[in-house]
Amino acid sequence: MLTKGNTAPMFYRILSRFPPNITFCFAYGSGVKQQLGQDAAQKKRNMIDLIYTVDNAHRWHASNLERNPDHYSGLKYLGSNFIAKYQESFGAKVFFNTLIPIPEEDIIIKYGVVCTKDLLDDLTTWSNLYLAGRLHKPVEIIRPASGSKIQNAIDTNLRAAVHAALLLLPEKFTEFEMYRAISNISYAGDFRMIFGENKDKVNNIVRPQLENFRNLYASTLADLGHVLQLPQQNSDNSICIQDQSEKTILYHLNHLPKWPVRRIVHKQTKGRYRQDTEDILTDVSKSTNYREIVAHCLRAIVWQSSVKQSIKNIPSAGLTKSVQYSWSKALKTFT
């Protein structure tokens, strides 16, 4: 991923406030990574988003409730076992505590807790395209993955993102358009983009971070030299050319994760009868509207998970914080 910057000591101090058994942690969002039209002062005012990966949600929440009971809404009175089940049962399998002040650092954070197994599932199958989508973009790794499983899943997720983006792009495109297409995978279909998010959000993320995107995807793109011709010089206006033969389209389709493939099969068969997946993907590769088919199926996954997770976040945040958070998002739409 990315190397730690000057803000790393602050993140370590934040982590010291929480139970230590976190197997992987990253920070993301406008409070961490520069976005277009945002100066340093604005970045500092933005809430910092963190994801904590844990092996045992019940045990972690029990310990965190002892350390930080004020982080939780009224759900804390139902106990750590309920919170863990609430986290793992629906939505994107993430439990968020939001608008948490850290007075010593003069910041506000939001942190989501996810089980290792659920993170691995989303990264490798795109069951929700929720955390997988966040890890399509440059993030700040605060605690590197313990063991190879998570890192291997992260690498798998990045490769899948390139295959999906190439299916959505025309034969010729710029480097900026490629990274925009990758970033947009997890935003297209997100109902929050209708209201509550800046409509230029994807452009604002990609433009100031082109070099970070290049570093993130360098090894993946190097492995695709047989189907993708990259410009010799790094420039967001340099032209990339991809092979769009039926054979290559099928190659990309076969490298999509499990849930987009299942969506494609269901869409093409209307769910009425069984048919060999390879035959269906072959038919899609020969279709003139394969881009629309792939885009529709990706949007459907994102729409479902974003709606369910947003509903799930209301009780976990509590009514007051939910209103505050929604209002701050709405203000960003008009600023």
Side-chain angles (χ1 to χ4, degrees):
M1 283 286 172
L2 297 178
T3 56
K4 301 175 185 66
N6 295 329
T7 55
M10 179 193 71
F11 285 122
Y12 292 147
R13 291 193 295 271
I14 293 172
L15 276 190
S16 69
R17 296 168 167 268
F18 295 91
N21 49 332
I22 295 173
T23 59
F24 175 59
C25 172
F26 67 91
Y28 65 97
S30 59
V32 178
K33 294 299 179 186
Q34 187 67 40
Q35 294 189 11
L36 200 66
Q38 172 185 270
D39 59 29
Q42 288 173 313
K43 180 182 173 183
K44 182 174 175 58
R45 287 196 299 271
N46 287 335
M47 183 167 61
I48 292 176
D49 298 293
L50 295 150
I51 294 293
Y52 301 159
T53 306
V54 303
D55 287 335
N56 186 304
H58 167 62
R59 192 156 52 225
W60 194 89
H61 284 295
S63 180
N64 197 41
L65 279 166
E66 291 181 2
R67 290 186 180 218
N68 302 300
D70 54 317
H71 290 189
Y72 292 81
S73 68
L75 293 182
K76 65 186 174 186
Y77 299 113
L78 299 175
S80 58
N81 189 48
F82 175 87
I83 291 172
K85 287 182 178 179
Y86 188 75
Q87 172 187 312
E88 298 178 78
S89 294
F90 65 98
K93 312 293 182 66
V94 187
F95 185 94
F96 281 103
N97 284 324
T98 190
L99 294 174
I100 307 300
I102 310 291
E104 293 81 358
E105 306 293 344
D106 191 27
I107 59 170
I108 295 175
I109 69 169
K110 177 181 75 173
Y111 63 93
V113 184
V114 64
C115 284
T116 303
K117 62 180 176 59
D118 294 322
L119 174 65
L120 291 174
D121 180 61
D122 197 27
L123 289 172
T124 57
T125 73
W126 286 9
S127 52
N128 293 296
L129 258 175
Y130 194 83
L131 296 181
R134 281 152 178 76
L135 287 166
H136 287 165
K137 297 172 278 291
V139 299
E140 188 79 14
I141 301 298
I142 311 304
R143 181 164 294 172
S146 56
S148 59
K149 282 187 177 180
I150 292 177
Q151 187 57 54
N152 289 341
I154 289 170
D155 294 339
T156 297
N157 181 48
L158 294 177
R159 288 193 295 271
V162 174
H163 287 294
L166 291 176
L167 284 167
L168 299 172
L169 287 163
E171 180 185 9
K172 297 181 180 181
F173 49 88
T174 65
E175 188 182 17
F176 167 76
E177 288 170 336
M178 176 174 63
Y179 295 131
R180 183 177 62 186
I182 289 171
S183 299
N184 198 49
I185 290 169
S186 58
Y187 284 117
D190 190 332
F191 88 99
R192 293 172 301 175
M193 295 300 290
I194 299 172
F195 179 78
E197 287 287 6
N198 188 326
K199 301 302 182 291
D200 292 324
K201 187 179 183 71
V202 178
N203 287 347
N204 294 345
I205 289 172
V206 177
R207 283 227 176 264
Q209 294 198 74
L210 271 174
E211 193 58 37
N212 289 335
F213 274 98
R214 289 180 186 125
N215 294 335
L216 188 60
Y217 284 96
S219 61
T220 299
L221 294 172
D223 293 337
L224 290 173
H226 59 298
V227 296
L228 176 63
Q229 179 184 333
L230 295 173
Q232 294 298 312
Q233 295 182 334
N234 287 335
S235 170
D236 57 344
N237 293 317
S238 298
I239 299 298
C240 309
I241 303 173
Q242 66 164 319
D243 177 17
Q244 290 194 309
S245 65
E246 291 176 7
K247 178 181 177 181
T248 298
I249 294 168
L250 181 60
Y251 167 71
H252 292 314
L253 289 169
N254 277 319
H255 283 81
L256 291 178
K258 178 174 74 175
W259 281 105
V261 170
R262 285 190 175 184
R263 290 270 185 177
I264 290 170
V265 170
H266 187 272
K267 176 176 172 56
Q268 295 306 103
T269 62
K270 304 295 190 292
R272 288 196 295 266
Y273 60 91
R274 291 186 176 274
Q275 187 177 341
D276 182 72
T277 298
E278 187 64 22
D279 288 343
I280 294 171
L281 295 183
T282 299
D283 290 341
V284 171
S285 71
K286 297 176 180 178
S287 171
T288 57
N289 68 329
Y290 70 88
R291 286 192 195 90
E292 288 76 12
I293 294 170
V294 172
H296 171 86
C297 293
L298 293 174
R299 285 197 304 269
I301 295 172
V302 174
W303 172 267
Q304 185 175 46
S305 67
S306 67
V307 169
K308 289 182 178 180
Q309 185 64 40
S310 293
I311 293 171
K312 176 181 179 178
N313 289 346
I314 296 173
S316 65
L319 182 59
T320 301
K321 285 187 177 181
S322 294
V323 172
Q324 285 179 299
Y325 183 71
S326 298
W327 179 248
S328 67
K329 284 287 187 180
L331 287 177
K332 285 186 179 182
T333 306
F334 304 105
T335 59

